[in-house]
Amino acid sequence: MSEESTPEKLVYHPDPSVLEGATVQDWRALEASATADPQAYWAEQASQLEWSRPWDTVLDDSAAPFFKWFVGGRTNIVTNCVDRHLRGARKNKLALIWVGEDTSKVRTFSYFSLNREVEQFANLLTAMGVREGDVVTIYLPRIPEVVFAMLACAKLGAVHSLIFAGYSSDALSSRIQDSESKLVITADGSWVNGKVFPLKDIVDEGIHFSATVENVIVVRNTGQDVSMDPERDHWYHDLCALPIARGHCPTVQVDAEHPLYLLYTSGSTGSPKAILHTHGGYMVGVHTSLQQTFDIREDDRWWCTADPGWVTGHSYLVYGPLLTGATVFMYEGSPTYPHPDRWWQLIEHYGITTFYTAPTAIRSLMRFGDAWPRRRDLSSLRLLGSVGEPINPEAWRWFHEVIGGGRCPIMDTWWQTETGMFQITTVPSMPLKPGAAGRPVFGQDAEVVDEEGHPVPDGTEGLLVLKNPAPAMFRTIFKDEQRYIDTYWAKFPGRYLTGDAAKRDEDGYFWVIGRTDDVIKVSGHRLGNAEVEAALGGHPAVVEAAAIGLPHEVKGNAIHAYVVLAMGREPSQALEQELRDHVAKHLSPIAKPERIEFVEKLPKTRSGKIMRRVLRARALGQDEGDLTTLEE
Ligand code: WT7
């Protein structure tokens, strides 16, 4: 490999055609002015959206790290996602094109009809007693109703809490209990590679012990028989037929800081934490970041392959593109079913222009060879995007050349559930470096520091921190302000600890390496080691367990577990399989360990803490490091 082509040296310069009419022309100038006065920059961005009352103060940091944005302002994210588009030509523009796993099922909605659906859903929620500030749990697959339900909650000032429709009943139940929601919106089932995943059965199990849930709305999707509790469960289509569903439903104007949603995500310890996002700042940050990074044009067809149950789905499948008035494309199924050209077929058929996906999907599709995408006309594509984990240069090049025809720049967006919006990325006018996320977004600043918080020299690995608050950043952890402070702000006061390791190069580009805490990114999904261990520990054969992430060619990381068996239980392949299934059933299929090893004991500190780093080092054949705290 010549020096020119080492990863750090490889640079792609934007083609002049990419810049024609681009949102951000002179990124250096914008970066400089936003850095000089971030608040003025954000005020300018906020003024592109509609407010029923203007804000008095852009940023109130007097109670940092509890930041408030656009203080005194009143708006509603739905005013900007839907209502304002109804007044002009966008009224008849397609807001949503949905295609089922059975691709003969297609549903399309103009902004006008999207509004009808949202008003109808909001009327029903009102009739069920949902009021401003109430938490509504949404456990739905990728079908249009998930968008309607989210927007209907937001329209009323209610707070939605989506739970990825691949989580088990235990995970669902603990999240419902934590959020104390009274209403659950689900479907009979979802289609997963031709088979039904029984969502309603899981909800029935999940709310069995939940005291708060009064009503369940069930959308008919897969059509199999499900049990319906006559007091508690309601078919959505029956409700829609009621007179109460019809008529105009005004969008409640809320304070900029009014909560919009809770989203549970995994942390280093304990149970998942509910990240809290608000209307005003979130709306501004998500709109700005999508518009600038993906340069949304009036005739774009935007496809973000994420599930609505993750933050990427919230910010860039639902809210962001609707804020920009784009046409959203949404596909129910997975990329490899029934054949590994499903995505390429859809891009061709629907003329997708901007395509945002995850490295793990790219790697898995790459393995099927170039012939599948080569048979399709992908020339409608203009821009590509990647998110969720670092993208390795081989996958980057394949995505760029085979999918993007060597013509489409790839925006590698680094961000988190907590940040709500991109924090490190490029915009199309910037040079690209395969494998590097890029630069802090306008108005943001980041650095790489050592354990004491001192910036390390460029090219050196360290802890990634963000230096500025951002409007779309979460406000707190719901019901746990102390954990919010301790996890993110206590280590380096005034700076936000991301939990990631990174390097910065001499051009100011950030190369994200991965998590430094007890969080594993598996196929881009975020899981806590402790959650997997707890799921294993729930099996009667298991005395204790440790879970770690090890590198995996397609998934990025895969979970490996070490299990100490109860007296009288013998290791066997059958037991290994049983334990893997147990994790799938009690946490989620995405958390299923790749391998389980049965061991006599686990390496622990004298105080009894499992030393996962020792297990990792052993598995990777690396030096085990400092073992002075290891018990005998
Ligand atoms: C973690 C956050 C927010 C998008 C979905 C994931 C990793 C995310 C990148 C990227 C390298 C990335 C980080 C981060 N990550 N995007 N472009 N390059 N790593 O959200 O589930 O909250 O996970 O995902 O490790 O901390 P999340």
Side-chain angles (χ1 to χ4, degrees), residues 312 387-390 412-417 500 515 521 526:
T312 310
V387 63
E389 51 175 326
D412 181 358
T413 60
W414 179 93
W415 57 296
Q416 307 177 305
T417 306
D500 279 10
R515 301 289 309 192
K521 298 287 312 213
R526 177 166 163 179

Side-chain angles (χ1 to χ4, degrees), residues 541-559:
V542 176
V543 173
E544 59 178 355
I548 58 170
L550 293 178
H552 185 280
E553 223 184 305
V554 173
K555 299 177 177 177
N557 296 290
I559 296 173

Side-chain angles (χ1 to χ4, degrees), residues 468-484:
N468 297 337
M473 280 245 271
F474 68 141
R475 295 299 185 263
T476 189
I477 295 173
F478 180 60
K479 298 203 288 200
D480 204 346
E481 297 194 334
Q482 196 55 45
R483 191 170 174 193
Y484 168 76

